[in-house]
Amino acid sequence: MKRIIRKVGDCTLAPRRDYFVKLCQSIYSQQLSTKVASILFGRFRDQFPRRRPTPATVVNFLQSAEERIRAVGLSRQKRLYLHNLASHFCSDAALSRRFAKMDDEAIIRSLIHIKGIGRWTVEMFLIFCLNRPDVWPVDDFGVRKAIQIAYSYKELPTKKQMTQLGEKWRPWRTIASWYLWRSLK
């Protein structure tokens, strides 16, 4: 890890306040390359004032003409996921204000039941939006691949190996994850 830290430089993680937007972006990114997801999500954001979708404006947008929805690359499945997410945030507007007082598992429980939001998505949200210090995404391919390379494993590490290895970085496993991702670039 020391070699990776020297190579990558200072950690640049910074908290974000655009929770709903980042969760929308996570849905957009599912099963797409980073480049394609970025282009399509940009088109989606262009549909909203100041490029800032809100739960209410997303619900309205999803009732638009079919060609307008297709132009931003939304499949039926992702449209359903975005609608579920927006409806959830509309019905519980105070949820995002409670995140600061919730522990990681409570946040996972509060979001994971939304169709289209899985544990990995919430872990990425905890890391990149809330900057929680001790998130260890054992199922993340990038972190697993980086460990395989950095520690000369013949195969991707198993979940058990990931869990054991992550213990030595507790309570800063988020930072370890970030450096491992950056080592792949």
Side-chain angles (χ1 to χ4, degrees), residues 10-77:
D10 292 341
C11 179
T12 58
L13 278 174
R16 301 183 60 114
R17 302 288 300 155
D18 52 351
Y19 303 154
F20 177 74
V21 174
K22 293 310 285 180
L23 287 168
C24 287
Q25 187 176 18
S26 293
I27 289 172
Y28 248 91
S29 299
Q30 292 171 2
Q31 300 176 348
L32 291 176
S33 74
T34 303
K35 184 176 182 177
V36 170
S38 179
I39 291 167
L40 293 177
F41 190 65
R43 290 179 190 165
F44 175 72
R45 290 186 71 174
D46 289 342
Q47 305 302 307
F48 303 96
R50 295 189 324 254
R51 301 189 80 233
R52 188 154 173 89
T54 65
T57 60
V58 167
V59 168
N60 275 347
F61 173 75
L62 294 174
Q63 296 168 359
S64 299
E66 189 66 29
E67 58 273 1
R68 188 172 174 213
I69 292 172
R70 275 198 211 120
V72 300
L74 273 177
S75 66
R76 282 193 180 120
Q77 194 68 40

Side-chain angles (χ1 to χ4, degrees), residues 29-128:
S29 299
Q30 292 171 2
Q31 300 176 348
L32 291 176
S33 74
T34 303
K35 184 176 182 177
V36 170
S38 179
I39 291 167
L40 293 177
F41 190 65
R43 290 179 190 165
F44 175 72
R45 290 186 71 174
D46 289 342
Q47 305 302 307
F48 303 96
R50 295 189 324 254
R51 301 189 80 233
R52 188 154 173 89
T54 65
T57 60
V58 167
V59 168
N60 275 347
F61 173 75
L62 294 174
Q63 296 168 359
S64 299
E66 189 66 29
E67 58 273 1
R68 188 172 174 213
I69 292 172
R70 275 198 211 120
V72 300
L74 273 177
S75 66
R76 282 193 180 120
Q77 194 68 40
K78 288 184 182 181
R79 188 181 321 173
L80 174 65
Y81 292 165
L82 284 175
H83 189 272
N84 287 337
L85 177 66
S87 297
H88 183 80
F89 269 73
C90 282
S91 67
D92 189 1
L95 174 63
S96 61
R97 288 192 299 271
R98 292 194 308 267
F99 287 153
K101 295 178 182 167
M102 297 167 75
D103 67 31
D104 296 349
E105 284 303 317
I107 293 171
I108 290 169
R109 285 190 305 275
S110 75
L111 294 174
I112 204 164
H113 71 277
I114 301 170
K115 206 176 229 7
I117 303 290
R119 184 175 183 92
W120 178 87
T121 300
V122 182
E123 288 173 343
M124 297 304 108
F125 177 74
L126 290 167
I127 291 170
F128 292 105

